[in-house]
Amino acid sequence: MADYSKEEIKHIEDKWRAEWEKRDVYKVKNDSQKPKYYVLDMFPYPSGAGLHVGHPLGYIASDIVSRYKRLKGFNVLHPMGFDAFGLPAEQYAIDHGIHPAVSTAQNIQNFKDQLSKIGFCYDWSREVQTCDPNYYKWTQWIFLQIFDSWYNRKTEKAERISVLVNVFEKEGNANHPFPNSKFLVPQTSKELFTAAEWKSFDKKTNQDILMQYRLAYLAYTDVNWCEALGTVLANDEVINGVSYRGGFPVIKKQMRQWSLRITEYAERLLKGLDEIDFSDSMKEIQRNWIGKSMGAKISFQVKNEKGEVHNLVVFTTRPDTIFGVDFMVIAPEHELVKDLTSHAQKEEIDAYLKYTESRSEIDRMAEVKKITGAFTGAYAINPFNGREIPVWISEYVLVGYGTGAIMAVPCGDERDHKFAKHFNLPITNIIGQHYNGEEANATKDAILENSDFLNGMVMHQAIDKVILKLEDKGIGKRQVNYKMRDAGWSRQRYWGEPFPVVYREDIPYAMDERKLPLTLPESNNFKSSGTGEGPLANLKDWVHFADGERRDTNTMPTHAGAAWYFLRYTDPHNDKAFADKKALDYWGQVDVYVGGSEHAVAHLLYARLWVKILHDLGFLNFDEPFKKLINQGKITGDSRFVYRVRGTNKFASAGLREKYDTDPLHVDVNIVTGTELDTEAFRKWKPDFADAEFILEDGKYICGTGIEKMSKSYFNVVNPDVIIENYGADTLRMYEMFLGPLELSKPWNTHGIDGVFKFLRRFWNLFHDNQGNVSVSDADPSPEELKVLHKTLKKIEYDIEHFSFNTSVSEFMICSNELTAMKCNKRSILEPLVIALSPYAPHIAEEIWEKLGHTDTVLNETFPQFDEKYLKEDSFEYPISINGKVRTKMNFALDMPKEDIEKLVLASEVVTKWTEGKAPKKVIVVQGRIVNVVM
RNA sequence: GCCCGGGUGGUGAAAUUGGUAGACACGCAGGACUUAAAAUCCUGUAACCCUAAAAGGUUGUGCGGGUUCAAGUCCCGCCCCGGGUACCA
């Protein structure tokens, strides 16, 4: 007697997990005649908190796809690993004295235990851990390849530094000027150097120049320094001027840092988006982050009071507004500020500079609306009409973007307009009625006025005309700008990959590749030195390991290990290369990548960048890592609150709390049923509450509710182990899919889980008689049964191919309801359904499969192909509408000609009643099986 | 502010892309079995009107217009919610 009971489920699931492991069924080979399919999950950071029900959502979806594709005849790569370097482990070490390596290993084990209970088909033999020296050896190796590369703008790809050196020796840098146009050759202070000069420079100068081209480079840069964390943060780790973790203040600080020259790839990263299947919002986020804008660079002559003439270059997207320029604004940090400031204005400018220097990043962000600035005393000349334009400085112009200077057009730009109003500067109107004198209007559709040779032109047409004229006169040119900055790649942390470089006379050289990995030295001192150097600086012997040689004290960010892990899975044990070329060619791009949208900018951009570089250098034959990306939604927590009357140990029920002065407290969701608190369990929950008293409503204590992030500190975490304990992994898997569309964020609740569980039991019962014995019939199926089967198969296939898992769960339910009603126990109907169900509920499927007499696992079956012929019907019930409203239904043979249907419809009593005998204007019959009579 | 995405019963949600809106599930109500409860099964369940009941009717996919024989789906204008981003010239 085998009922689908709690005990039986546990037995089945344990049995099959052991069986899968014993038979090694998930091991994937790199050589196969089958077509490949690569399904990837974003590997998790193994946090100490373990898995909650939100984590498996994406993993379940990818597991279903993997199993389905396997049944469809693909060789499926579906690996898992751990993003194991990172700050939390280091913080934990500082707080608890446990080495990151130890806590990380424990956490990983805990994650694997939890994951294994859900029945995923991972090939664990391919597991990678980014903190494993055998893995980060290759992270360091790839970093060295990037260090040894530059971006050739002519060929639009990365090339080796040796190629660049050859070029310099032959022709200097005339054809390949510095990527950062602000950099000047140290000895000559010019932008260009000749071959002869290159050869005459000393070694340090040569290296300094090459550093300006390397794709991984060292430079003094403004970094986000967080005093509290003692480390530098990436732009995307800073939110509104405070750290992403902890919310500590962040200020700008100059440090010598490694960066990746991702800006060189801005255009390719942008274009690549067109070829890959990411959601619109994901692409949009990346596009915004890259922030391309097209316009022109325009050079203005500026005269200071001494009569010296300087060139002030601005970037604008609106060269058409050139005659509306009423003033210029340059950033306070702009190099010309000193030269332009007149004697009379010096005091004011100095005061303003002092003010801006004193302002932290947070102040600036907090007071974006505040208008400040100072006049330099110098005037620029409009190159087209010679008009004199005052030059101001203001912090609303940023040094880091464009040229750090703008031409201000108050009638067309909101910020310029406010600035002009605030300082009482005259405003030239070039857009006629479009400008109302009150606010700027950024339209491109106005007809230009007061604009010399542009008068009468529509603005968006004038843009090109001005650029051509600027280029003609040699005072400007077409220019593209990107918001994206190079990626800071140094972290002042211990628990990360050390940089595989050696400094001699302060010049970094790549380590000998044969000596990799440069292992992370043993240490128990994880505190940063506080000067900006990380914990590795404390290890003097390691840093100064030889005379005149020094190591880098920084480590790489976690993005480094994550930027290529999907490549390693193809050949994870290779010690000769990061992966064998044949394996890389075979597996190629990731076909489906499932993960959270919070990685939209950082991880996904860096992974795309590394793949593009490796592609350019000849290691990969594809230059986008992920063909398709699915962002699963977040599962949020559904928190419960109790209301403590202030100063007492009394708790008021939610409906009564208004009557008292109360403070809400989070209460463990596990001792609340719905919204009703288990008061006894509450008293036992924490010693503080042992003698709690309750003010009840209707004899119950009702809790308040709130949707929040799932977090230990909110006591709203639901552990999947608990669900598995009560319902089994198959129910958990199907329920998480049933909750709603994968991409949607939703609060966790178990309201509907019984429905899913009941379905599995009913499905189980289809194969069993009322004594619980397996009982299937070998009789031939009826047309109705065949129709149910093939309808379901068709729908399930469509749903999985479209990542619409919630609807397939419904489809299984409908199918099982219909078969139950038909009392169908035919083997020929039920067997294909077991195979189709196996991606969703693998344990129960295996068990039934075995009971049906099969010795091989269901994994080696083929997904049953539906056949349209069983879905065909002889006749169909057409809804008949009159003027668009359905009034009746009629049956027609499928092959009946339209004209006959029309005749029959018009003859019908219901129709004549509605038409009152009048002739209709027309009758519409379409294949959508719709008949509409139009009166 | 700007850029995306969305708004459908008491709830989670379907709707094969312009063709019977609300599938499926939860919840709720009623019933069967039971001494009783739990479990299980069956029936009903958008709102309103009419009806003893059946049948029937009207209104309904955030709001207001429009296109169409036909609109949750397409177009125009608003309102609200979620996400991204923000002196980026």
Side-chain angles (χ1 to χ4, degrees), chain A residues 219-223 225 251-257 531:
Chain A
Y220 281 97
T221 42
D222 257 348
V223 293
W225 170 249
I251 57 160
K252 293 280 181 199
K253 184 174 177 174
Q254 285 259 320
M255 289 183 71
R256 202 173 181 214
Q257 302 280 318
T531 57

Side-chain angles (χ1 to χ4, degrees), chain A residues 163 166 268 312 341 353 509 522 557 652 686 692 784 853 863 920:
Chain A
V163 174
N166 281 339
R268 275 176 61 187
L312 178 61
T341 304
L353 290 178
Y509 294 94
E522 256 321 302
K686 284 184 175 180
E784 290 76 28
F863 195 90

Side-chain angles (χ1 to χ4, degrees), chain A residues 727-740:
Chain A
Y727 295 96
D730 286 341
T731 300
L732 172 75
R733 291 168 63 107
M734 292 201 91
Y735 182 58
E736 291 221 7
M737 291 300 99
F738 186 62
L739 271 175

